[in-house]
Amino acid sequence: MTGPSKIKHIGMAVSDLESAKRFYEESLGLNVEREETLGEMKIAFVPVGEVNIELIQSTTEDGVIAKFIAKRGEGVHHIAYEVEDVSSSLEELKARGVKLVDETPREGAGGTAVAFVHPKSAHGVLTELVGRKRNA
Ligand code: ZN
């Protein structure tokens, strides 16, 4: 298997995106590069070197991020790895018996192909694969 080439971003579940942005910008001295809405999520990207911090706020009370925060509080939600091709990585993981959230790639932030590996197969960490093509 061609393994991931780098960590692409770290997804953080936040209850208030504006307040989280203030922490990263004013306290840590980083800059929000861009923001977008993806389904029920508002997302802000904060680059740190080659890695992005992906701040995610739910726009609905029953969204996945809202449920995560209700259960576990704010914090690290997932780690995203960059892979050459999400489809072929999924095939390889499936063949190794890894439990997946997504059997096929879907569209993620920035128009990239993404897929999630189930935390049960990843020692408790929700793991995202991001295709290399576009920046996210
Ligand atoms: Zn992500």
Side-chain angles (χ1 to χ4, degrees):
M1 176 178 179
T2 313
S5 43
K6 64 177 183 185
I7 289 179
K8 187 74 174 167
H9 63 256
I10 302 170
M12 307 288 196
V14 304
S15 32
D16 180 347
L17 191 61
E18 291 310 310
S19 157
K21 278 161 55 186
R22 277 198 299 279
F23 168 74
Y24 283 90
E25 293 195 308
E26 291 165 23
S27 304
L28 280 187
L30 296 166
N31 290 306
V32 172
E33 185 186 67
R34 64 189 173 84
E35 290 182 55
E36 68 178 84
T37 301
L38 181 70
E40 58 182 39
M41 295 174 284
K42 274 200 297 189
I43 302 174
F45 287 94
V46 186
V48 192
E50 278 214 314
V51 178
N52 274 277
I53 301 298
E54 183 187 59
L55 303 172
I56 317 164
Q57 183 201 315
S58 185
T59 55
T60 60
E61 274 176 30
D62 57 353
V64 287
I65 295 299
K67 283 182 185 155
F68 175 90
I69 291 174
K71 208 167 149 188
R72 299 170 65 167
E74 288 187 300
V76 176
H77 180 260
H78 65 269
I79 306 285
Y81 295 90
E82 183 179 274
V83 298
E84 188 62 36
D85 179 69
V86 177
S87 298
S88 55
S89 291
L90 286 176
E91 291 309 315
E92 290 178 22
L93 289 165
K94 248 184 271 183
R96 293 188 176 95
V98 174
K99 194 170 151 70
L100 303 172
V101 175
D102 300 302
E103 297 280 321
T104 53
R106 56 168 137 144
E107 190 176 326
T112 49
V114 305
F116 285 89
V117 175
H118 201 285
K120 277 194 178 134
S121 271
H123 299 266
V125 181
L126 179 60
T127 299
E128 179 181 9
L129 306 175
V130 181
R132 212 166 57 82
K133 302 228 166 67
R134 282 174 61 178
N135 244 10

